[in-house]
Structures are given as C-alpha cells and as structure tokens.
Amino acid sequence: MSENPFESRIGKEIDNESEMIFDATSEALSKPNPSLEYCTLTVEETFDRLGTSGDYGLESVAEVGRRRLAFGVNEVVSEDDESVWKKFIMNFVEDPLILLLIGSAVVSFIMGNIDDAVSITLAIVFVVTVGFVQEYRSEKSLEALNKLVPAECHLIRCGQESHVLASGLVPGDLVNFKFGDRIPADIRIVESVGLSIDESNLTGEQEPVHKTAQEVSKESYNDQPFSIVPISDRTCIAYMGTLVKEGHGKGIVVGTGKNTSFGSVFEMMNTIEKPKTPLQLSMDKLGKDLSLVSFILIGFICLIGVFQGRSWLEMFQISVSLAVAAIPEGLPIIVTVTLALGVLRMAKRKAIVRRLPSVETLGSVNVICSDKTGTLTSNHMTVSKIWCLDSMETKSNSLVLDKPRTTNYRNYLTEDVKATLIISNFCNNASFSQEHCKHLGNPTDIALLENLSKFELQDLRFQTKKVHEIPFNSRRKFMAVQLIEPDGKCSLHVKGAFEKILEQSATYLNKKGKPERLLDSHRRLITETANSLASDGLRTLAFARAELPNANDKVSEDAISGLTFTGLVAMSDPPRPTVKPAVESLLRGGVHVIMITGDSENTAVNIAREVGIPIINPQLSVLSGDKLNEMTDEQLANVIDHVSVFARATPEHKLNIVSALRKRGDIVAMTGDGVNDAPALKLADIGVSMGTMGTDVAKEASDMVLTDDDFSTILTAIEEGKGIFNNIQNFLTFQLSTSVAALSLVALSTTFKLPNPLNAMQILWINILMDGPPAQSLGVEPVDHEVMKKPPRKRTDKILTNEVLQRLSMSAFIIILGTVYVFIKEMAEDSQVTSRDTTMTFTCFVFFDMFNALACRHATKSIFETGLFANKMFNYAVGLSLLGQMCAIYIPFFQQVFKTESLSLGDLVFLLLVSSTVLIADELRKLWIKRNALNDPYLYSNV
C-alpha cells in the first residue's frame, strides 16, 4: 500500500478526480430511473401512468410520434463532436517531452542542423501516431453499447402485432418476447410464463433470474441509499440487452435509449476519463526534468564563455547545440517499440493489451480486485457431494465426487442415491447440443446431467412422458415435474431448497429403496447436514418424489405434499487449479488480492481460502454489500487495507471500491465482464475484461482482455510489465550516461579552453549509437522471473530513481575519466591535437559505450548470471556497431568523413582494456549489492 498518499500532488489530483467521478455516479444512480420507478407499481398503475393497455398497446399513431419527439430514438449514442484531427493535434501539445522535442527540432532547423531537425520530427510523428491510434480505439467503448440493442422486436401497437426495428420503440409500447429473444428496452413485465432472463451482461451474475409481473414492495428498501431497489431485485423488470433463457412474456416499454439501465452506465462512462498510467506520469516528469537541466546547462555554458571573453552569439550556438544533444530524441521511439513488443509477447500468453502504456502499468499494480465466477473459478458448476439419510447416517459422512478418476462410483449406487440421481435427471431442462458438442441450459441443470455419467447412468427423460411442470422461481424455491414412466405409473419428482422439500415430506427413502417414516430427529439431521454443506461454500439442493394415483390430473403447487425425501446434492464452481499458485506469487510480490462476489459471506470465505486469499479474521477481512452501502468513501478507504473479500457485492459497488483504492494512491487492476462493470473497468488503472464471458462493452472499456478468462494470466502480465519497466530503466541508464559523458567532454574542453576531443561527425555517430540499435536492443531483454519478488512501484515514484541516477552517474564518470585520460595521453606525446589523437579518443568512447551497454542489461545481476549471449538482438546490435566503428577508422572513405586514421592492434587492445573498466566497475557494484542482500533482502528487492 502507498504511504501518505494524500500528501503528494498526484495523490490530491486522484482524490479530486475520484470525488468528481463518485459524485457524478451517485447522481446517476439516484436520478429517477424508469425501471426503478415502475418496478414498485402494479400492472394497472403502469397502464394508467403510460396511457396504454395490455391488449392493444398504444392506440394512437400521433401519440407515438409525440413520444418519439419527447424521448428520442431507442439508441445509446455518444455526443462527442470533437473531430479526429483535433484529438490528433492535441497529442502534440499535452506531453512535455514531445513539446521539448519539438523545441529541439525548431532550434536545430534554425541553427542549420537539418538532419537533426528531420530525424527528431520523424520521431515525434511516429510516437504520437502510434499513441493516438491506441487511444482512439479505446474510446470506441461507448459505441459497443448499441450492439446490445436487438435490431428487431415483436411489437403490439394499435392492436396489431408486427416485427419492427427496436430503435422505433417509445415508452408505452407493448412488446412480446420469448426464448432466445434479446430484450429491446427496459420493460415492465405484465405477463410471464416460466420466464427466466439471463442478466449476466448487466449484473455479472451467471444464474438466470426468474421474472414475474408482481410488483416489488418499496417499503422493504427504505433503508437503502435513496431508497433504491437493487437492479437484481427488480423482478418485474426486463432490462435492455438481456437475454430470455426460458419461457415467454409480455411487457410495457418504460425506458428507452439513455433512460434505460444501460443508459445509466453510459452516463457514468461519459463522466470517467481514463487516468494516466504511472509510466505516462513518469515520462511527463522526465520531460520536465530534462527541460530544466537543458536550460541550466545553457545558462552555465553561456556564462563561462562570456567570462572567458567569447562572443554572446558563439556561446549561444554552442550551448543550444549541447542542450539539443542532451535530449535523447530516440527515447520515445524506444519506449513505444519496447511496449509494442511487450504487447506481442503478452498476446502469446493469452493477454490482449489494448493501450500501449498499460503494459508497463501492470508491473506497478499493487491491488487486484477480481471477480469470483469464471475468473478465480472455472465457471462450470460441478456436483461435489451427495448425501442420503440412510446410506450416510451422519452429517459428515457424504459421498464425495472429486475422487481420482479411477474410482468406480457405481459401487456406491444404493437405492436412495440412485433415486436422487434419477430425480435430478427428470427435474432438468438442460439438453445436449450436437452442434456445440456440449450441454446447454441452466448451469445447475448442466452439472446434474453431467454427474450421471460418473455413475454410468443414462438420460432417462426420453423414455418418459412429461405431463406437467411447475417451474422454479425465487418465491416457490422448488421445481416439480409430473411424469408418466415407461411402466405406465404416474409420478411426481421435486427438487429445490431443502427447507421447502422437508416441509412437504412425510417419509424418506432408505438404502434398499423402501419408504420409512420421517421423524423429527431425521429432519434435524437433514437440516444440520444441509447447513454444513452450505457453510463449506456449496450450493445445496434437496430431492424428493411421490407416486400419483391419476395421470390425467395435473398437480397444482398447493397440492404437493406427502413426498418421500431421497437426498441432498451439493454443487460448487471449483477454483481453477492455476489460481492458488498465482495468488501466492502475487502476495509474495506485495500485491493485495481482493475477491468481489455476489455470493454469501460463507461461500465467499471458503472460495477465498481455497485459492489462497488470506482470511485471518472474517469480521475484518470480509465486507458485505449491505455494510458497503452504509460507508462513506473515506470510511471505506480507511478499512479497505484489511479487506480481502467483498460479499453480496453488486457491479455498482465496484466503482466505489476502485474510487476508494485510488484515493489511497493505490494502482488498481479490476476484472469484470458485464456492462455494469464498464465504468469501474475504465476508472481502474488497469481494467481487465474476460475474452470468453465478457460483453463487448466490458472489453472496449478495459485495457486488457484475458482470452482464457483465467486469473493466473494476470500474473504473467504483471511479470511482463515489471520486466518492461526494468528494461526501460536499463536503456535510460545507458542513454543518459552516454549523453552526460559526451556533453561533459565538450563542456570540460570549453571550460578549460582545450581543443574539442570529438568533432561534429564523431558526435553524430555517438548519438546514433545512443539512440540506435544498442539502446533499442536493451528494451527486448528477456524478463527476469525474479522481478515478481520486487514490491510494486508507487504511483508517485520517478522513473529515474536514486539508484538509477547513482548507476548512470558512476558509468558517466568512468567514461569521462577514461576518455579524458586517453585524449590527454595521446595529445601529450606531440603537444597538439592530431587525427590519431581524435581517433583514439573517438574509438575509446565508442568502446566505452559498448561495454556500458553490456553492463546496462541488468541492474543487479552479473552478465554471467543473465547469460552473456542470451539477448540475440543485443549481440547483433553491438556486433554491427563495432563493425561500423572499424569501418570509420580503417576504410579510406569513412576516414575522410570522420577525420580518423588507422590504429594498430596494440592500440585496440589498449583501448579495450581502458574501456572495459566501466563494465568491471558495474560488476563490482552488483557484487556489493548481492553481498549486502544476504544481510538485508529487502534492500536487494528494491534496487
């Protein structure tokens, strides 16, 4: 966690930004919403309020036209009128480093250095264009909302049913919908038959929601902020973009376009501006620091020259040239290329990064807020345990179904277990799709069907005739199926909540298949077992059956009684096997992992412990959605350091959590897949969406998409991000130490009225090496897996840390000392500057540069640990640079260009010995760090 986040300028900016976002979000949530308003009204009140009917819909075409003028078309569109060109131009003036480079190009052009001006201009255009394309693509998130609105719908208007474009709907329209339809607007349901709707793209919960026409009691929610009925509890509302999974229904349109629940998300998305990444903040700071150093350098050189009696114009030209040379114009290109290569590497590891700077930000993340379903877990319900009263006898003695595959479960198939499995087969609406080669339907039903194969049982539904079905709903809490079996008997099979099944049960089935009287002691044992399974984080269902005397009479809900209890089945969504090692690695690296789920606290705590998230004290480590609603932002920020699990949380809570964390100065990664997750994904420093389960809106609002929906992929992405930042620091060390050394040589010769040791062409060649292949090859250095042991970087940390500055200063000092030594030694032999003197000095500096590049491959590890030839691109770059240097001193044409002459083999050996001191010194520094690390491991982890 960050320290004193409110004391820094950046911390205050984040605090203010989060306040503005939260205020806007609270306003959007508290704003009267049609679905909120109409969910508490009866069907008749809805008709009266909207002037419509449940048979004919709106009865006037003129009224439809008037409402369309008042409410607009049923679309969610962006109102951003800013032109693409204006956005592109703004990228040139918002980055201090780019502004500094523009100034350098202008000065170079005025001074007649056309080559420098052109190269700097091309660098600027390249960097700005790549960044703009990435940003422009990320701003397409709002457009993805329109994909959720179906193209057509079934409309009843003026008593006539028609198939029309959904964009033409207005409040008061009557709409029909059935299995497979996507809801075209926010609709108040007036009729429903076994209606279940998948709201996962809105709420994030995978279980379909049963819908009825019954209004919601508003009094039950008076204790909620703004007396809001939560989205998931508005059971008489069908939301735009959700999908009908079962049954059919009819409803009145109450909200269109921006007046829908998706419209509220749109408003929040408009409010939120993607925050700058830590790398962008660091590069901004670096640009300002380089500007300051440049101006100080200009003033210093000018004053010295003037005091020496030189003309103002001459000194201005010298100092401006030095200042321009001080700016590593290749830096933005190298950063961009390094990030782009990181994106390509991460794509191979199933993480698609949508914004280049986000690659490095991953390495700075110190808090990860993760969904449970599908991210930490496999998003596939599995039957874990079966318990039957007679076969198991005690509450702790259940049939565990996660044993090795060699286990023959058929050996455990007593009559009560078999009956339980058969009932789970009959009370089931899932089916196997030949097209998709898998079961489709409710996740619970799929788990029950897949469980049959463990016991070598077949699907028996095709051998029976279904007479009647009573569907499951949240009020009834059970499902019943009336069947005629192959032998002609009529039977009733029931599954549901154990308390409901027990209420209607009079007997239980023993292990020999005979009914026995259900005593109070039996009921207590069943209740204790069911509660014990639930406390283990398992979803528990009870099963029962009854024989019916008459196959022609359909059993009503109220007539169900006298059932024979057969057993309990407990299911779970098991954690992914890769998650626990990933969580442990993140915790060791100082990353706070928080799980956010809509499950109960017991279930959430059990899953958290299974995946390795520490729960020391549930009262401190677990925070429910109800408690979260009662807390202010400041209260949440104060306690969130101890919270590892948010239970009964809604997607709206995610925005509060991200806001609180960012106020503290934390760098937050947030996972999500639903539409309602989009604002939190956009506000987070790193928004991570799911590639398989995620909606288009969530993907467009995120910075990274996990193609496998696996949490452990985030770990590999963080490792890559940390490695990239290390590489950026390494090539910055190389570039700036070279730049400081070259400038210091010229400044020293000017100050002490010595001849210039390097001519213009030689300085140009050194600049090419500084910004060219050797520097760029440092950006693709293989990632060191030990980076995960380092704590996350703070948002306010500089890219040029004290350690980096000390390292580059030491290297620059050795290069200056060695080069000056060679220059003075050679000049002393003939008391004047000859071409041999400058050739020796020039070659010495280039050799120093190559050894310095080798030393900069890793900050703390010896080149013998990293592998002398591990980075192939670096080997090629250094080899070509040395070949180019040999051409400069041995080929006659280049000798004329660079004013050099041939050197003997002895000269080269001497220069190699002198220039290798920069590598030797750095190796000694690394050895000193390693020895100190034995006494203080934290010191080593922070270097």
Side-chain angles (χ1 to χ4, degrees), residues 830-848:
D830 44 24
S831 301
Q832 61 179 349
V833 179
T834 65
S835 59
R836 172 182 165 79
D837 300 340
T838 56
T839 303
M840 287 288 285
T841 308
F842 173 41
T843 306
C844 180
F845 195 97
V846 171
F847 283 0
F848 263 123

Side-chain angles (χ1 to χ4, degrees), residues 644-924:
S644 297
V645 173
F646 285 93
R648 295 295 187 200
T650 65
E652 287 86 352
H653 289 141
K654 285 189 176 183
L655 200 63
N656 301 6
I657 295 167
V658 174
S659 177
L661 288 167
R662 293 193 73 239
K663 278 185 176 183
R664 291 167 41 83
D666 295 318
I667 299 175
V668 187
M670 168 68 74
T671 72
D673 49 32
V675 171
N676 255 16
D677 295 332
L681 291 174
K682 192 172 181 183
L683 176 60
D685 296 282
I686 292 289
V688 183
S689 64
M690 305 297 112
T692 303
M693 292 168 48
T695 60
D696 288 339
V697 178
K699 292 175 188 176
E700 291 292 338
S702 64
D703 303 285
M704 185 171 75
V705 180
L706 305 182
T707 59
D708 58 356
D709 290 11
D710 192 343
F711 180 84
S712 62
T713 305
I714 300 177
L715 176 67
T716 62
I718 287 177
E719 182 182 84
E720 189 71 45
K722 285 190 172 184
I724 285 173
F725 182 74
N726 282 356
N727 288 346
I728 290 174
Q729 282 191 320
N730 288 338
F731 66 64
L732 265 176
T733 303
F734 169 70
Q735 280 194 312
L736 294 180
S737 59
T738 301
S739 179
V740 168
L743 288 173
S744 298
L745 281 174
V746 178
L748 286 171
S749 63
T750 302
T751 303
F752 295 104
K753 296 185 178 181
L754 294 173
N756 201 329
L758 302 171
N759 62 44
M761 288 306 298
Q762 291 170 354
I763 292 176
L764 176 62
W765 174 244
I766 290 171
N767 275 330
I768 290 172
L769 293 180
M770 183 181 75
D771 293 326
Q776 293 177 22
S777 64
L778 291 173
V780 295
E781 189 72 24
V783 174
D784 181 3
H785 296 298
E786 290 191 10
V787 295
M788 291 305 296
K789 296 179 181 179
K790 290 186 177 182
R793 192 165 64 92
K794 297 175 185 176
R795 188 186 299 276
T796 54
D797 284 354
K798 297 178 182 179
I799 196 167
L800 292 179
T801 62
N802 290 334
E803 290 81 9
V804 172
L805 289 172
Q806 291 169 11
R807 184 180 166 203
L808 73 86
S809 298
M810 183 189 77
S811 298
F813 177 75
I814 294 172
I815 294 171
I816 294 167
L817 197 64
T819 308
V820 169
Y821 165 72
V822 170
F823 179 58
I824 293 176
K825 176 181 175 297
E826 291 299 320
M827 190 172 61
E829 293 179 359
D830 44 24
S831 301
Q832 61 179 349
V833 179
T834 65
S835 59
R836 172 182 165 79
D837 300 340
T838 56
T839 303
M840 287 288 285
T841 308
F842 173 41
T843 306
C844 180
F845 195 97
V846 171
F847 283 0
F848 263 123
D849 231 17
M850 295 303 100
F851 279 112
N852 187 30
L854 187 60
C856 289
R857 282 183 52 196
H858 200 285
T860 55
K861 279 189 176 180
S862 167
I863 58 169
F864 302 106
E865 291 181 80
T866 58
L868 193 57
F869 303 106
N871 187 341
K872 291 182 179 179
M873 184 175 173
F874 178 83
N875 298 334
Y876 293 139
V878 171
L880 290 174
S881 298
L882 291 174
L883 181 61
Q885 183 63 24
M886 294 303 103
C887 291
I889 60 179
Y890 289 112
I891 295 178
F893 172 76
F894 291 111
Q895 285 178 339
Q896 293 179 1
V897 173
F898 289 99
K899 302 295 187 290
T900 59
E901 64 178 52
S902 299
L903 301 176
S904 67
L905 181 60
D907 292 332
L908 294 179
V909 171
F910 168 72
L911 293 176
L912 285 172
L913 289 173
V914 172
S915 57
S916 63
T917 55
V918 71
L919 175 62
I920 294 169
D922 199 65
E923 288 291 301
L924 291 173

Side-chain angles (χ1 to χ4, degrees), residues 596-618:
I596 304 176
T597 177
D599 287 337
S600 66
E601 292 187 32
N602 281 340
T603 302
V605 167
N606 276 280
I607 292 293
R609 285 174 172 158
E610 282 188 58
V611 300
I613 296 176
I615 307 291
I616 300 172
N617 182 352

Side-chain angles (χ1 to χ4, degrees), residues 432-440:
F432 186 80
S433 168
Q434 296 293 341
E435 179 183 354
H436 298 91
C437 297
K438 64 179 182 180
H439 288 96
L440 300 178

Side-chain angles (χ1 to χ4, degrees), residues 98-391:
I98 295 297
L99 287 173
L100 186 58
L101 289 174
I102 291 172
S104 302
V106 172
V107 171
S108 297
F109 182 79
I110 294 172
M111 301 296 295
N113 300 326
I114 305 300
D115 291 343
D116 283 350
V118 171
S119 63
I120 293 173
T121 302
L122 290 175
I124 294 169
V125 172
F126 173 79
V127 171
V128 171
T129 301
V130 170
F132 171 74
V133 170
Q134 291 289 326
E135 295 296 323
Y136 182 73
R137 287 180 58 196
S138 70
E139 288 303 317
K140 292 294 182 181
S141 55
L142 298 179
E143 295 180 10
L145 286 166
N146 283 323
K147 297 179 183 178
L148 293 168
V149 183
E152 297 180 330
C153 63
H154 306 281
L155 171 68
I156 299 175
R157 192 180 279 169
C158 303
Q160 300 293 319
E161 184 169 355
S162 58
H163 206 55
V164 300
L165 292 175
S167 59
L169 291 178
V170 297
D173 273 330
L174 181 63
V175 177
N176 281 328
F177 39 87
K178 62 182 185 303
F179 171 75
D181 286 347
R182 198 168 284 280
I183 303 298
D186 276 8
I187 292 173
R188 171 63 168 91
I189 298 167
V190 297
E191 288 182 18
S192 68
V193 178
L195 181 63
S196 290
I197 295 180
D198 178 3
E199 297 180 348
S200 59
N201 61 359
L202 182 64
T203 65
E205 295 302 317
Q206 300 301 309
E207 203 71 25
V209 180
H210 185 75
K211 297 288 186 178
T212 69
Q214 182 66 38
E215 72 275 8
V216 178
S217 173
K218 192 173 183 178
E219 286 71 23
S220 304
Y221 299 92
N222 286 337
D223 58 339
Q224 297 286 333
F226 316 115
S227 298
I228 286 179
V229 180
I231 284 180
S232 55
D233 289 354
R234 301 174 197 174
T235 52
C236 59
I237 298 293
Y239 300 104
M240 174 196 279
T242 56
L243 187 67
V244 179
K245 296 289 285 186
E246 293 178 317
H248 57 88
K250 183 192 293 186
I252 299 296
V253 173
V254 295
T256 59
K258 293 183 181 180
N259 291 319
T260 61
S261 293
F262 283 118
S264 298
V265 176
F266 176 84
E267 294 295 332
M268 285 188 278
M269 290 277 283
N270 261 344
T271 303
I272 299 170
E273 183 178 350
K274 190 66 187 177
K276 280 193 172 185
T277 68
L279 178 62
Q280 288 172 318
L281 294 172
S282 296
M283 294 303 287
D284 288 350
K285 183 70 168 61
L286 178 61
K288 292 173 182 177
D289 290 345
L290 286 175
S291 301
L292 180 61
V293 170
S294 297
F295 288 128
I296 292 174
L297 182 63
I298 289 173
F300 179 72
I301 297 297
C302 271
L303 286 175
I304 289 178
V306 170
F307 288 148
Q308 290 176 347
R310 301 188 185 188
S311 70
W312 278 97
L313 180 59
E314 178 190 357
M315 291 316 303
F316 178 76
Q317 290 176 335
I318 292 173
S319 55
V320 167
S321 298
L322 288 175
V324 170
I327 302 166
E329 60 267 17
L331 175 60
I333 289 183
I334 298 174
V335 171
T336 301
V337 170
T338 301
L339 294 177
L341 291 173
V343 167
L344 294 176
R345 286 196 300 269
M346 290 171 66
K348 294 177 182 177
R349 303 176 80 173
K350 300 183 179 180
I352 308 298
V353 177
R354 302 184 63 256
R355 300 174 68 231
L356 279 184
S358 301
V359 182
E360 182 277 328
T361 309
L362 285 160
S364 306
V365 166
N366 69 323
V367 181
I368 296 178
C369 299
S370 176
D371 274 335
K372 175 185 76 70
T373 305
T375 307
L376 298 177
T377 63
S378 59
N379 193 34
H380 188 85
M381 293 294 289
T382 305
V383 175
S384 302
K385 295 180 180 180
I386 295 178
W387 185 88
C388 296
L389 184 59
D390 193 31
S391 293

